[in-house]
Amino acid sequence: MCLSGLLTSCAQQPATPAAGPIATNAIEQPLAMPAMADARDIYQKAGDYQGEARQIHLLRAAQAALQQQQYPLALAICYTLANSEYKLVRQRNTVLLLQAYLANNEIERANLLLEQTNIDSLPKADISTYLWQGSQFYAQQQRSLAASSWLLQLDQLQQSNSAYPALWDLLWQQLTTLNQNNLTTLRTNATNRNLAWLNLAELSRLHIGQQQALQQALADWHRRYPFMPKSAALPAALQQLLQLTPYQPSRIAVLLPFSGNFRAHAKALQAGLISAASQYKGEPVQLLFIDSQQTPAQITEALQQQQVDFVIGPLLRDQVDIFSQQADWPWPTLFLNSRNPAQEKRDNHFFFALSMEDEASQMAQLFQQKSYHKPVVISARNNISQRMQQHFASQWQAMGYAAPELYQFSAKAELEAIVSNLLELDASQSRIRNVSSLLGSNTKLEAEPHSRLDIDAIYLLADPVQTRLFKPYVDVAVNQTAPRLPVYASSRSFSTSLDRNEQRDLNGLTFTEMPWMLGEQSSVLLREQYQQLFSEQDEVLQRLFAMGHDAYQLVARLKQQQYLPALVFSGLTGQLSLDANGSIVRRLSWASYRNNRLITVQEP
């Protein structure tokens, strides 16, 4: 604070004789500084100047402070100059202020500055730096759509990566994490160069696992866009993708519980696998379905006799543990359940589960990106919801935040009591009664209860019926003059069977869900075919169909994703990537109820 006060006085002190004039148009040029000049020396010498010239020297001092890692000094100078009476100084200060915010970990202020600044208003000398800093910030915040948009603008401006050697690698990394809807969004008003990058991202997905087709598509791409980087200059991850030999099995064994209590689940997965196989355009692959309810010895013998070269499954937890730990298991395998954390990682072992913990992690990341500090998590009292609640809490604390408030409920009355106590409505009512009693019976008191204002958001983990009870109660409980309290939920709150009146009760609710259940544009045709064949399947089986479909398509991508962690597959169950332990990580889509209907949304 003292430093800021000194800087303010330096920026606004009465005019003193200038040591030398500085032309106003110098503000449009790079901020030249004496070699090895110390930031504090430049700052002190700024006092020898007056008016705009003084503030230009302060800009130079801020730039030097950033280069010399004197970050508090840089932030103090930039924060003061943000209120300069000179428009050009304010404009030139913008990129330095952003760098100072980021260097001092002022994430909320950096985000606000990026949202409020019109890039076209910046001096031309600063636009590239600003785009680069902003895109790196969005990438670190896992906001890949925004990062891709900014990187595409920077690439259009630079037409090369000479000034920013990591530009194309970062752009490719961000593009590979986007779903098809995101890529379509970026096509709006895109330049020809932008379209070239977007087309490259799409063809790499279309032909992944088919090396010859991918090579041919890339050659066609170069002919269509001769102004784009040559093969040797393409992003390193793409070049690796071209060189890797994927799994190319001709006989895949699928281990599912076709007998017993989980037969319906097995059939749904089987339908998804067959559906994906029927769409595959590569060499024909034979699927061999084996009942996993046999003994391990019988299953191993069947795999050997059938001469399979890849295995999908089993599904059940105990069977996954048995086969994933079997020392003489020679087949590369995509297990259809989560990995035992205590188990040692093994090559060619991959794990794909519809993990609810992935949703909780994604919500924690969203809350961090939205700069929330005090979320509340309310969970139905069942194993899955409470497991998600605990996972969110652990992820939130791992991000450096205080433990969130956690509540559990079993019945409607208990849920209403939680909301009332949480928002402190009872305490507000009590204060009204106390004030009324002090005024006496002859004085009428006009008052209404006020709810807490320190809560950023509520994360509800409940089924569709419980969610429809909860959301309207929160809307009524929050005082009308208070800011809207956002309510988020998981896929457990969603049902495809809700009518328009029921959707009206959920207006404002935002939740995570797999693209398949939301009927996103990329799967509309498949959804129509599915409805004709399986119109009576419940939502659990619908999700398993999508899982089976993705499992088949993942086989040709697993080796690439194993060596290229940034590579993302846009599946029916979400955006799928592979972590260091061989587990598939899902990133789901966002949807919200608005104006009595369901729409997909971009978050944040």
Side-chain angles (χ1 to χ4, degrees):
M1 291 175 64
C2 293
L3 181 58
S4 180
L6 289 171
L7 290 167
T8 302
S9 65
C10 180
Q12 298 178 352
Q13 63 182 302
T16 57
I22 294 183
T24 300
N25 64 5
I27 201 71
E28 292 289 348
Q29 304 301 321
L31 293 171
M33 295 183 300
M36 302 301 292
D38 183 77
R40 293 185 181 275
D41 290 341
I42 300 173
Y43 161 65
Q44 292 293 339
K45 290 178 181 178
D48 296 336
Y49 296 83
Q50 59 185 329
E52 187 175 15
R54 178 186 298 127
Q55 294 188 19
I56 291 173
H57 278 79
L58 288 175
L59 285 171
R60 291 172 176 164
Q63 185 180 51
L66 287 167
Q67 293 175 350
Q68 297 161 17
Q69 299 183 11
Q70 299 182 45
Y71 298 138
L73 173 62
L75 181 59
I77 295 173
C78 294
Y79 197 75
T80 300
L81 293 179
N83 297 313
S84 169
E85 66 273 31
Y86 301 106
K87 177 181 178 181
L88 290 175
V89 171
R90 294 196 306 272
Q91 291 176 333
R92 198 59 189 268
N93 181 61
T94 302
V95 69
L96 299 177
L97 181 60
L98 174 60
Q99 292 172 323
Y101 280 153
L102 296 176
N104 287 277
N105 203 34
E106 295 278 355
I107 302 302
E108 293 180 42
R109 289 180 173 177
N111 186 58
L112 190 62
L113 179 64
L114 289 168
E115 290 180 352
Q116 293 181 345
T117 301
N118 183 349
I119 293 177
D120 293 334
S121 69
L122 299 176
K124 290 182 179 179
D126 288 344
I127 291 178
S128 291
T129 302
Y130 189 78
L131 287 169
W132 179 242
Q133 294 288 336
S135 60
Q136 287 183 301
F137 170 78
Y138 285 133
Q140 291 167 359
Q141 293 290 305
Q142 297 185 348
R143 297 169 63 176
S144 296
L145 181 59
S148 297
S149 176
W150 281 48
L151 288 164
L152 287 170
Q153 291 181 67
L154 179 57
D155 175 69
Q156 180 66 39
L157 196 62
Q158 292 288 312
Q159 300 282 310
S160 77
N161 67 340
S162 57
Y164 303 93
L167 169 59
W168 292 342
D169 285 332
L170 183 59
L171 172 58
W172 186 253
Q173 181 190 69
Q174 298 306 304
L175 289 175
T176 58
T177 66
L178 299 178
N179 59 31
Q180 188 58 47
N181 290 340
N182 294 150
L183 292 175
T184 301
T185 297
L186 290 174
R187 285 181 171 275
T188 304
N189 298 324
T191 65
N192 203 32
R193 188 176 179 90
N194 292 166
L195 290 174
W197 283 113
L198 297 174
N199 288 341
L200 184 61
E202 290 174 341
L203 71 85
S204 71
R205 296 180 186 192
L206 179 64
H207 301 293
I208 192 170
Q210 305 171 51
Q211 298 304 89
Q212 186 174 354
L214 182 57
Q215 292 280 4
Q216 181 60 51
L218 182 60
D220 293 341
W221 179 83
H222 271 123
R223 283 192 290 270
R224 184 177 178 185
Y225 303 105
F227 51 84
M228 294 299 287
K230 302 304 179 185
S231 295
L234 288 174
L238 178 57
Q239 294 188 53
Q240 287 179 280
L241 183 64
L242 293 166
Q243 296 169 5
L244 282 173
T245 301
Y247 290 117
Q248 296 174 315
S250 59
R251 296 169 68 85
I252 298 177
V254 183
L255 309 180
L256 292 172
F258 289 108
S259 59
N261 295 334
F262 295 96
R263 183 176 182 276
H265 299 74
K267 288 292 185 181
L269 282 160
Q270 181 184 41
L273 286 156
I274 293 173
S275 172
S278 67
Q279 298 175 359
Y280 187 64
K281 297 179 180 179
E283 293 295 323
V285 178
Q286 186 175 3
L287 290 176
L288 306 167
F289 293 96
I290 299 173
D291 189 354
S292 63
Q293 299 295 66
Q294 303 175 74
T295 67
Q298 289 173 322
I299 291 174
T300 300
E301 182 181 358
L303 294 175
Q304 292 170 342
Q305 289 179 349
Q306 297 285 356
Q307 297 182 329
V308 303
D309 40 19
F310 199 96
V311 175
I312 296 177
L315 172 68
L316 304 182
R317 170 83 271 164
D318 58 339
Q319 295 172 354
V320 169
D321 289 341
I322 290 172
F323 291 117
S324 63
Q325 297 176 34
Q326 187 171 311
D328 59 349
W329 187 263
W331 301 281
T333 304
L334 177 60
F335 297 98
L336 299 179
N337 210 314
S338 56
R339 173 180 173 272
N340 185 338
Q343 181 180 333
E344 184 179 350
K345 181 184 180 300
R346 295 175 61 179
D347 291 339
N348 299 323
H349 279 202
F350 307 95
F351 299 84
F352 179 29
L354 301 184
S355 170
M356 301 302 291
E357 282 83 356
D358 287 344
E359 294 193 51
S361 295
Q362 186 174 337
M363 193 63 70
Q365 292 166 4
L366 176 72
F367 285 7
Q368 180 188 48
Q369 292 163 4
K370 285 184 170 289
S371 301
Y372 293 159
H373 291 281
K374 198 174 180 60
V376 172
V377 189
I378 300 176
S379 162
R381 199 171 276 116
N382 59 63
N383 289 336
I384 295 178
S385 296
Q386 290 183 279
R387 197 173 74 222
M388 292 180 68
Q389 184 184 60
Q390 291 302 319
H391 187 78
F392 175 92
S394 65
Q395 290 291 303
W396 188 247
Q397 290 174 271
M399 292 174 176
Y401 298 99
E405 293 184 42
L406 306 179
Y407 299 89
Q408 296 86 34
F409 70 93
S410 297
K412 176 183 176 182
E414 194 175 3
L415 181 59
E416 292 179 352
I418 286 174
V419 175
S420 182
N421 293 333
L422 168 65
L423 299 178
E424 297 182 352
L425 297 178
D426 291 341
S428 181
Q429 289 281 14
S430 178
R431 290 191 292 270
I432 292 173
R433 287 193 296 270
N434 290 339
V435 172
S436 182
S437 64
L438 291 173
L439 293 175
S441 58
N442 294 327
T443 303
K444 184 177 180 181
L445 176 66
E446 295 288 344
E448 60 180 15
H450 279 257
S451 53
R452 284 174 63 182
L453 298 177
D454 61 325
I455 298 173
D456 294 317
I458 293 177
Y459 185 22
L460 176 68
L461 301 167
D463 66 30
V465 174
Q466 293 165 333
T467 303
R468 293 204 311 275
L469 292 172
F470 175 84
K471 183 62 172 61
Y473 193 73
V474 171
D475 293 341
V476 172
V478 175
N479 186 267
Q480 293 184 358
T481 61
R484 184 183 69 85
L485 181 58
V487 179
Y488 296 87
S490 73
S491 61
R492 293 181 60 78
S493 291
F494 176 63
S495 173
T496 58
S497 62
L498 296 181
D499 61 31
R500 197 167 182 82
N501 289 330
E502 292 169 325
Q503 291 179 350
R504 180 183 57 204
D505 294 337
L506 298 174
N507 275 334
L509 179 75
T510 301
F511 60 96
T512 46
E513 181 56 279
M514 64 172 62
W516 174 245
M517 300 303 292
L518 296 174
E520 291 190 4
Q521 190 63 37
S522 57
S523 63
V524 168
L525 180 59
L526 180 60
R527 170 58 81 170
E528 292 175 355
Q529 296 170 348
Y530 174 86
Q531 293 291 0
Q532 292 174 2
L533 296 172
F534 307 105
S535 58
E536 300 301 320
Q537 279 197 344
D538 65 27
E539 292 177 8
V540 171
L541 299 183
Q542 291 181 44
R543 289 183 166 88
L544 289 173
F545 173 90
M547 182 184 185
H549 197 280
D550 283 356
Y552 184 88
Q553 294 193 304
L554 279 169
V555 172
R557 294 168 166 82
L558 288 172
K559 187 165 288 186
Q560 283 86 340
Q561 290 187 296
Q562 188 174 22
Y563 289 96
L564 304 171
L567 196 62
V568 176
F569 167 54
S570 296
L572 300 183
T573 59
Q575 303 299 303
L576 308 180
S577 58
L578 192 68
D579 70 13
N581 293 316
S583 295
I584 300 295
V585 179
R586 291 191 307 146
R587 189 165 186 84
L588 283 76
S589 296
W590 295 98
S592 182
Y593 290 101
R594 297 178 184 175
N595 299 321
N596 307 337
R597 64 189 184 94
L598 177 68
I599 61 171
T600 56
V601 295
Q602 297 294 333
E603 286 286 1

